[in-house]
Amino acid sequence: MSWIQTVDNLQDQMTILIGSAIRLLCGEVGVFVISNEAFDPRSGTEYVLYRLEESALAPLLSFVQESLQPTSRHPLIIEMTEPEFTQQLRVGLPADVHELPAELECCSLAVTDQHGPIGVLHFLRPVGQRSCLEQTTDTEAGERSPIFLFIAQLAASLRFALQAQSLVKEQDRLAAIFHHSTEGLLTVDNALRIIDFNPAMERLTGWHESEVLGQFYFTVLRPRDRQGNELGLQDSPILQCFAGQPLVNRDMIITTRDGQSVDVRVTASCVRSPRGEPVSGILTVHDISREREQEEQRSTFISVISHELQTPIAIIKGYASTLARAGSRLKPDVVRSRLYAIEDEADRLNKLVGNLLYASRIQAQGLQMDVAPLQLEPLIHRVIRRLQVKYPDLDIALDISPDLPTVMADRDRIEEVLQNLLDNAIKYSPDKPAITIAARATSNDVIVSVRDAGMGISLRDQEQIFQRFRRLGDPLAQSTPGAGLGLYICRAIVEAHGGRIWVDSALRQGSTFSFSLPREEQAHLPMVVF
Ligand code: ADP
């Protein structure tokens, strides 16, 4: 049997009630065992103790269950207890009831009303004690006899108290659901003023409950439709619900405390009075910004990839057709330049496909690094030499601290990172690129930076460009070939080394991309990053 204490704040009231009943029947100590059928079949057996410790409960109940069967004809069943039993029980009595007489009788009183059983009151009293309630000789009095009237009174009070207790428990259950729900929940009164605002709603909107209580919910959420048009009061989900049109899963945009927009899906419902008038409204708010972002990513992916594939294919096809049809009539240097262009575009396609595979591998299985002690200065020179083959006029300044410490890194991958940052510095510099590569050591890391004086990146965009397929809206950036994968791959590589990559930039003033790699003695490698 599992024992569950009744709700704390009502416990005192119940104890007073049970204590008074026991006292009226001349008892000293006792327990009221609540009938589960009557109240909460979901919970274990509940009881209210009067001047008894929990340890006395088991012996007392085993005694009464074995020998006492209360009936409606004799509501109070009295049984003499054995001295050993009394002895056993004494251990569980509080200090002030230790002076109980040696001879005790155990009484049980079934408490029922017209709705059914409420519970059984078991108590101990000195042998031979009788209360005035039991002193009737009128056997005909039946249900009008004092003991039956007493039971009816007790039953009414207990049923009322237990119902209040169930209500409190129900309220606690609902409060827990409201509090711990991952969905945003708010409730309003019939004037649409907020009366509850759960923690998920606080997280979603940035408003604290105390700031919004009593406020008109529309002015707090400032909802807009998916196109961004402000919703009028006639579109208020709760108002529509009050008017008898329940609203389920409607997509809208709400505004957070700091002015950010969040895509949400809302469902409104309402509570009505017995006469059908709306009393309060409930709004469930589900954050779908992540889903939206993924949707957007998918469509960006398709448009970026199709554009990035179409352009080189069109160039290759155009030049190849020209060469096939009129190659023999073209001057050799024109033919050569067309072939170089085809080679460049094929390289671009190759790089794109390679990057796509790389990105999907990062997503699926992370990156396994093949690390070894690495000197960065020779690696930087090698990458510059390779670039100068492609861009003979390219001027790159170097600012490398002397005695740069060795790092633990995967040489090929770090070359890729540097190559990518330099490619970007060239691509996103509308005028002749002015690039500086710097490298310096801190106590834990070596930091390599690539600085350009190109178009720069706004603060807002700086947070986004390391995500997959993220390209800037600027017309120059849009017209530059790229699929928004380079920086995503760079970040995965650097983080797989236990390093960090970041950008400092200002629009139209240039950007500095930096990454850190742990010094040889600090590295905890190899590692895999997802
Ligand atoms: P992409 O292939 O598009 O260049 P990246 O992931 O390398 O992909 O870069 C993501 C976006 O970041 C670019 O589309 C560009 O808008 C911006 N970006 C990257 N490097 C620079 C830079 N040095 N200057 C300005 N914008 C840059």
Side-chain angles (χ1 to χ4, degrees):
M1 197 186 318
S2 71
W3 301 103
I4 294 174
Q5 283 281 347
T6 44
V7 179
D8 274 352
N9 48 358
L10 287 166
Q11 183 77 9
D12 289 350
Q13 270 184 27
M14 291 285 289
T15 309
I16 293 170
L17 197 57
I18 294 305
S20 314
I22 291 175
R23 282 300 183 195
L24 270 170
L25 294 165
C26 298
E28 293 286 343
V29 298
V31 60
F32 180 69
V33 181
I34 300 163
S35 161
N36 273 349
E37 289 161 54
F39 288 93
D40 192 353
R42 285 166 294 190
S43 59
T45 301
E46 297 186 13
Y47 55 89
V48 182
L49 291 166
Y50 175 66
R51 299 176 83 209
L52 265 187
E53 299 284 319
E54 290 222 26
S55 55
L57 201 60
L60 175 62
L61 289 180
S62 64
F63 175 76
V64 295
Q65 271 164 18
E66 276 164 24
S67 52
L68 297 171
Q69 291 299 321
T71 67
S72 55
R73 273 180 59 78
H74 305 285
L76 191 65
I77 306 294
I78 303 166
E79 186 86 348
M80 274 294 291
T81 63
E82 300 296 325
E84 307 87 71
F85 167 73
T86 324
Q87 204 52 41
Q88 208 182 357
L89 215 61
R90 264 174 218 287
V91 182
L93 298 179
D96 63 327
V97 284
H98 273 193
E99 295 85 40
L100 277 180
E103 296 219 300
L104 289 171
E105 55 186 28
C106 182
C107 311
S108 298
L109 183 74
V111 184
T112 56
D113 64 6
Q114 71 273 28
H115 303 294
I118 298 175
V120 183
L121 180 67
H122 305 288
F123 60 92
L124 297 169
R125 69 180 175 192
V127 171
Q129 287 262 3
R130 290 291 175 270
S131 71
C132 56
L133 297 169
E134 298 155 70
Q135 288 162 4
T136 175
T137 48
D138 181 4
T139 47
E140 297 304 307
E143 298 198 345
R144 289 191 318 278
S145 71
I147 188 75
F148 276 109
L149 290 174
F150 169 75
I151 293 173
Q153 276 293 328
L154 183 61
S157 313
L158 283 171
R159 191 165 284 282
F160 184 76
L162 288 167
Q163 265 162 357
Q165 207 169 57
S166 308
L167 278 179
V168 169
K169 275 198 265 178
E170 202 56 43
Q171 212 174 25
D172 286 350
R173 256 199 289 271
L174 287 177
I177 294 171
F178 186 80
H179 225 73
H180 299 297
S181 164
T182 50
E183 302 283 51
L185 290 168
L186 71 77
T187 60
V188 295
D189 60 14
N190 58 5
L192 303 180
R193 284 180 304 242
I194 297 175
I195 42 182
D196 293 299
F197 202 74
N198 79 340
M201 207 61 203
E202 292 184 332
R203 287 193 292 276
L204 192 66
T205 61
W207 288 105
H208 192 271
E209 186 184 30
S210 60
E211 296 172 303
V212 298
L213 290 186
Q215 301 246 23
F216 179 44
Y217 93 102
F218 233 54
T219 51
V220 172
L221 300 185
R222 289 172 284 162
R224 281 168 292 139
D225 63 18
R226 282 192 64 183
Q227 286 66 46
N229 308 312
E230 273 189 27
L231 292 182
L233 193 55
Q234 72 282 1
D235 292 315
S236 155
I238 297 183
L239 213 53
Q240 286 183 7
C241 191
F242 282 175
Q245 303 157 9
L247 186 136
V248 179
N249 286 343
R250 172 156 157 205
D251 289 0
M252 53 175 66
I253 299 170
I254 58 166
T255 315
T256 64
R257 189 177 195 269
D258 57 3
Q260 305 272 342
S261 299
V262 185
D263 285 287
V264 292
R265 186 161 294 155
V266 304
T267 294
S269 48
C270 69
V271 178
R272 293 182 184 277
S273 70
R275 279 187 295 165
E277 290 147 354
V279 179
S280 59
I282 304 154
L283 197 70
T284 313
V285 184
H286 175 62
D287 181 357
I288 53 165
S289 49
R290 185 113 191 92
E291 287 165 41
R292 281 268 174 283
E293 217 172 85
Q294 281 172 351
E295 242 171 60
E296 265 168 36
Q297 265 198 3
R298 264 196 297 277
S299 71
T300 318
F301 167 76
I302 292 168
S303 69
V304 167
I305 295 306
S306 42
H307 173 262
E308 281 305 297
L309 288 174
Q310 264 167 358
T311 317
I313 289 172
I315 297 173
I316 291 172
K317 184 168 167 34
Y319 285 163
S321 310
T322 318
L323 289 173
R325 291 202 186 93
S328 56
R329 293 197 303 275
L330 295 174
K331 287 187 188 147
D333 55 338
V334 175
V335 171
R336 203 174 312 115
S337 82
R338 299 284 193 270
L339 287 172
Y340 278 141
I342 289 176
E343 191 187 11
D344 273 354
E345 294 307 315
D347 283 348
R348 185 172 148 190
L349 271 181
N350 198 21
K351 184 167 178 209
L352 175 65
V353 173
N355 275 351
L356 279 172
L357 287 174
Y358 211 129
S360 76
R361 233 184 18 243
I362 293 173
Q363 274 246 301
Q365 50 192 255
L367 272 179
Q368 187 78 50
M369 295 293 132
D370 187 6
V371 297
L374 176 69
Q375 284 291 336
L376 284 171
E377 192 165 354
L379 179 139
I380 294 171
H381 286 291
R382 200 166 41 249
V383 175
I384 295 176
R385 272 200 304 280
R386 225 183 12 246
L387 265 184
Q388 278 169 339
V389 174
K390 202 166 166 197
Y391 306 101
D393 298 340
L394 190 66
D395 192 13
I396 297 183
L398 287 179
D399 177 12
I400 298 177
S401 307
D403 302 324
L404 204 60
T406 313
V407 292
M408 278 298 268
D410 182 322
R411 198 189 68 168
D412 293 348
R413 310 268 195 190
I414 297 304
E415 260 191 45
E416 251 173 85
V417 172
L418 193 59
Q419 178 79 48
N420 233 315
L421 296 183
L422 286 165
D423 279 344
N424 280 352
I426 298 167
K427 275 199 307 191
Y428 299 109
S429 294
D431 306 320
K432 187 172 180 298
I435 299 171
T436 304
I437 302 180
R440 65 186 169 84
T442 67
S443 50
N444 294 324
D445 305 303
V446 173
I447 297 175
V448 180
S449 309
V450 175
R451 188 165 69 236
D452 65 54
M455 54 190 284
I457 305 162
S458 71
L459 206 59
R460 189 181 146 78
D461 289 331
Q462 286 172 30
E463 289 167 17
Q464 320 252 336
I465 53 173
F466 293 96
Q467 292 168 21
R468 277 185 312 164
F469 308 117
R470 203 53 79 138
R471 308 203 71 216
L472 304 190
D474 184 286
L476 176 66
Q478 285 286 317
S479 62
T480 311
L485 284 173
L487 291 177
Y488 169 73
I489 292 172
C490 289
R491 191 181 67 177
I493 294 176
V494 171
E495 288 181 354
H497 283 85
R500 205 164 69 79
I501 185 164
W502 67 99
V503 61
D504 296 300
S505 184
L507 262 184
R508 284 176 283 283
Q509 288 175 33
S511 315
T512 304
F513 281 86
S514 309
F515 63 90
S516 65
L517 291 172
R519 291 168 67 147
E520 186 184 357
E521 63 276 15
Q522 306 284 344
H524 310 289
L525 291 167
M527 58 167 70
V528 180
V529 151
F530 289 89

